[in-house]
C-alpha cells in the first residue's frame, strides 16, 4: 500500500484514537447527568464569569464528541440548555453538532467512501435507495426521526455520493427541533438535579424524555416525508 493510500486512513485512525482515549480517561463518567448534578454550582459559576470562554469550550467539546462518535450528544445538549439557557444553548448545540457531524462525514468519505459506496451492506444498504433518489429529503427525515444512531446517519451519506452542502443543510435543519427540545429540558433541570444530588440517586436521560416528545419527533418526520412520498407516487403513476 502506497503512502498516499495510507494517508486516506489517517482520519479514521485519528477518530478511533480519540474515541479510545475518551473511554480510557473515563469521559463517559463526566459527560453524564449525575456529573452535572454534582458540579452544577461550579459550572454555573464558571459560565457566569466567563460566558464566551465557556461557550467556546462547549462548542469544541461537543463538536469533538460528535466527530469521534462519542455517545454523549443528547446529554451534552441537555448540558447546553442548563448552562446557557434553551435559546443560546440550542443555537450553540446546533452549530457544534453540525460541525462535528460534517467532520465525521468528510472523514468517512475520504477514508472509505470510494471503497464501500457500491458494496455497502447491512444497515447502510437500507439507506442507499433513499439517498440516491432524494438525498436532502431523505437525510432530513432521518434527522427529524432519530430511528438510527446519530453517528450512523453521519457516516452513511458518505457512501452514496451526497454532497457536503446537502449534508450540512439537511443536518442543520433536521436537528433543530430535537436540539431545542433537549435544550429546553436542560433549562428547567435545576430543581431535578438538586433533588437527585440530595437524594443520592442516579439520573438518566430516559427520566427526562417523555412519550409526548418522542411522538412529536415522529410527527415532524411524517410531515417531512410527505413531499418525498408524493414525488414517488407521482413518478410511479406516470410509469
Amino acid at each position: 500500500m502506497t503512502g498516499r493510500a495510507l494517508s486516506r486512513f489517517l482520519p479514521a485512525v485519528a477518530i478511533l484514537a480519540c474515541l479510545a482515549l475518551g473511554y480510557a480517561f473515563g469521559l463517559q463518567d463526566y459527560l453524564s447527568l449525575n456529573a452535572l448534578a454534582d458540579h452544577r454550582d461550579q459550572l454555573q459559576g464558571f459560565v457566569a464569569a466567563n460566558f464566551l470562554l465557556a461557550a467556546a469550550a462547549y462548542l469544541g467539546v461537543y463538536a469533538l464528541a460528535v466527530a469521534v462518535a462519542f455517545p454523549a450528544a443528547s446529554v451534552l445538549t441537555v448540558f447546553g440548555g442548563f448552562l446557557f439557557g434553551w435559546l443560546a444553548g440550542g443555537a450553540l448545540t446546533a452549530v457544534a453538532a453540525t460541525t462535528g457531524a460534517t467532520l465525521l462525514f468528510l472523514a468517512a468519505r475520504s477514508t472509505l467512501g470510494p471503497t464501500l459506496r457500491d458494496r455497502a451492506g447491512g444497515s447502510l444498504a437500507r439507506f442507499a435507495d433513499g439517498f440516491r433518489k432524494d438525498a436532502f429529503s431523505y437525510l432530513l427525515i432521518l434527522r427529524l426521526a432519530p430511528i438510527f444512531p446519530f453517528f450512523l446517519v453521519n457516516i452513511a451519506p458518505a457512501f452514496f455520493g451526497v454532497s457536503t452542502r446537502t449534508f450540512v443543510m439537511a443536518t442543520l435543519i433536521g436537528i433543530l427541533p430535537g436540539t431545542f427540545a433537549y435544550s429546553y429540558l436542560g433549562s428547567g433541570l435545576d430543581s431535578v438535579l438538586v433533588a437527585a444530588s440530595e437524594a443520592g440517586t442516579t439520573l438518566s436521560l430516559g427520566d427526562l424524555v417523555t412519550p409526548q416528545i418522542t411522538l412529536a419527533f415522529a410527527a415532524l418526520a411524517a410531515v417531512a416525508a410527505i413531499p418525498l412520498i408524493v414525488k414517488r407516487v407521482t413518478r410511479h403513476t406516470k410509469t
Side-chain angles (χ1 to χ4, degrees), residues 15-233:
I15 288 172
L16 292 175
C18 289
L19 189 59
L21 285 172
Y23 278 109
F25 284 102
L27 291 185
Q28 66 275 13
D29 296 327
Y30 294 99
L31 301 179
S32 68
L33 294 181
N34 293 320
L36 182 59
D38 293 337
H39 304 287
R40 49 182 287 280
D41 291 333
Q42 298 95 313
L43 289 170
Q44 287 177 320
F46 181 79
V47 171
N50 309 276
F51 185 86
L52 292 179
L53 179 59
Y58 177 77
L59 281 169
V61 170
Y62 199 116
L64 181 60
V66 173
V68 301
F70 198 84
S74 296
V75 173
L76 281 172
T77 304
V78 174
F79 271 44
F82 178 79
L83 295 173
F84 304 102
W86 72 269
L87 183 58
L92 288 169
T93 297
V95 172
T98 302
T99 300
T102 303
L103 290 174
L104 183 55
F105 164 77
L106 293 173
R109 187 169 67 180
S110 65
T111 303
L112 298 174
T115 304
L116 299 182
R117 185 172 300 158
D118 296 324
R119 29 180 170 161
S123 297
L124 292 177
R126 302 174 196 170
F127 298 141
D129 188 55
F131 279 125
R132 285 168 180 154
K133 289 182 178 178
D134 194 333
F136 181 86
S137 297
Y138 194 68
L139 182 55
L140 183 64
I141 293 169
L142 290 174
R143 293 301 191 192
L144 288 170
I147 301 171
F148 298 97
F150 190 65
F151 82 92
L152 185 59
V153 183
N154 293 338
I155 294 173
F159 303 144
F160 306 117
V162 176
S163 70
T164 303
R165 180 178 179 180
T166 296
F167 179 88
V168 170
M169 293 304 297
T171 296
L172 179 60
I173 296 171
I175 67 173
L176 286 179
T179 293
F180 281 101
Y182 277 80
S183 293
Y184 185 77
L185 284 176
S187 67
L189 196 59
D190 194 67
S191 59
V192 178
L193 292 176
V194 172
S197 181
E198 291 177 349
T201 58
T202 59
L203 190 63
S204 69
L205 200 59
D207 297 324
L208 308 178
V209 179
T210 64
Q212 289 80 6
I213 290 178
T214 304
L215 288 173
F217 289 163
L220 285 170
V223 171
I226 290 174
L228 190 59
I229 294 172
V230 170
K231 185 184 294 186
R232 289 191 177 185
V233 171

